[in-house]
């Protein structure tokens, strides 16, 4: 393996870096500034900054949008303004994935989150209005990612969702890293049901097996429950992960 292709040792890698292009930079860090993800931000385990798209806007009004070609309701974010903001954002992060949060994008999956989290970070374009001029998507090679089949009023919340999902996978962010491997989607299954004290609550008891101390039987019960829930709620996951789930019921 050549020196260029040798991965940098974990401890010498710069922190994972999220850069959000938005017309509402005041929305950040928002929920990313609290709890474990926020503590990790404070401790320098990851970095966050925003590029205010209006800094690249036109005229003294810092205009970023215009009427849709062909007519119709709403406004569209201009390609020239967005390209200037994107090019600026990439100057010191040229090799970082460039993502446009968009309801038309590929659905975000835990597999893509894992890939992004293992990389240097992400530059995320948060759209507003009716979206962005198609030409900038093509000219700058933006990867379109959706966080679900519904329409938000802007891409900022979607960017936060993606960042949160990536950051919690970074080494040192969560206390018990072993628990990650059992979470929903990690093995192609939804997670099994969780319980904690009190042992009896409103006439509902914790399943006896979880109090048995028999770790082998507990693991088997959890696996069976994960498979049952996945079959009932998300049979599509079973179909897309046959090697993980086949013949284990
Ligand atoms: N006219 C667009 C359409 O019908 O597809 C919706 C535009 S939406 C009001 C404004 C912005 O919110 C989008 O440009 C995108 O950045 C963001 N957005 C909305 N829904 C989203 C979703 N499900 N996933 C990711 N981003 C979303």
């Amino acid at each position: 393996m050549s020196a260029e292709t040798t991965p940098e040792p974990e401890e010498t890698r710069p922190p994972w870096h999220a850069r959000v292009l938005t017309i509402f930079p005041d929305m950040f860090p928002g929920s990313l500034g609290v709890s474990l993800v926020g503590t990790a931000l404070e401790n320098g385990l990851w970095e966050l900054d925003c590029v205010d798209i209006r800094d690249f806007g036109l005229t003294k009004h810092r205009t970023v949008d215009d009427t849709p070609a062909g007519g119709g309701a709403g406004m569209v974010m201009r390609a020239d303004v967005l390209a200037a903001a994107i090019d600026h954002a990439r100057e010191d992060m040229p090799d970082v994935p460039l993502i446009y949060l968009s309801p038309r994008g590929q659905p975000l999956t835990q597999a893509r989150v894992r890939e992004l989290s293992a990389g240097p970070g992400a530059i995320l374009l948060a759209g507003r209005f009716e979206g962005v001029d198609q030409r900038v998507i093509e000219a700058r090679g933006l990867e379109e990612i959706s966080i679900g089949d519904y329409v938000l009023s802007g891409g900022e919340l979607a960017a936060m969702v993606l960042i949160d999902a990536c950051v919690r996978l970074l080494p040192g962010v969560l206390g018990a890293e072993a628990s990650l491997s059992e979470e929903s989607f990690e093995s192609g299954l939804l997670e099994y049901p969780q319980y904690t004290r009190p042992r009896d609550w409103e006439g509902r008891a914790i399943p006896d097996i979880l109090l048995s101390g028999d770790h082998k039987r507990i693991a088997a019960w959890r696996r069976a429950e994960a498979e049952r829930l996945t079959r009932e709620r998300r049979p599509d996951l079973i179909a897309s992960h046959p090697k993980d789930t086949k013949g284990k019921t």
Side-chain angles (χ1 to χ4, degrees), residues 10 14-20 28-29 31-49 99 108-124 158-177 180 183 186:
E10 205 68 65
W16 197 84
H17 194 129
R19 177 165 289 166
V20 184
F28 292 86
S31 66
L32 298 170
V34 300
S35 190
L36 292 172
V37 168
T39 304
L41 180 61
E42 246 171 57
N43 293 341
L45 292 180
W46 68 287
E47 294 171 346
L48 171 70
D49 55 32
I99 292 166
L108 183 62
T109 61
Q110 189 67 13
R112 186 69 186 115
V113 165
R114 231 181 285 123
E115 284 170 5
L116 289 169
S117 176
I123 298 177
L124 304 161
M160 286 180 195
V161 166
L162 186 150
I163 294 168
D164 180 280
C166 289
V167 167
R168 62 194 295 284
L169 298 186
L170 297 174
V173 173
L174 296 191
E177 291 182 22
L180 283 173
E183 285 194 319
E186 286 297 340

Side-chain angles (χ1 to χ4, degrees), residues 72-168:
M75 301 294 274
V76 176
M77 297 183 93
R78 291 177 59 118
D80 50 357
V81 171
L82 290 177
I86 290 168
D87 294 347
H88 170 78
R90 293 190 96 176
E91 270 168 21
D92 62 335
M93 296 170 69
D95 302 319
V96 167
L98 191 50
I99 292 166
Y100 167 44
L101 284 312
S102 158
R104 291 187 327 204
Q106 285 294 316
L108 183 62
T109 61
Q110 189 67 13
R112 186 69 186 115
V113 165
R114 231 181 285 123
E115 284 170 5
L116 289 169
S117 176
I123 298 177
L124 304 161
L125 171 60
R128 281 274 157 179
F129 316 115
E130 290 309 317
V132 314
D133 188 309
Q134 179 64 25
R135 291 170 296 178
V136 77
I137 298 176
E138 293 165 11
R140 294 297 181 270
L142 301 179
E143 174 186 355
E144 292 186 71
I145 292 185
S146 164
I147 64 156
D149 290 345
Y150 41 80
V151 179
L152 304 165
S153 38
E156 289 79 7
L157 289 175
M160 286 180 195
V161 166
L162 186 150
I163 294 168
D164 180 280
C166 289
V167 167
R168 62 194 295 284

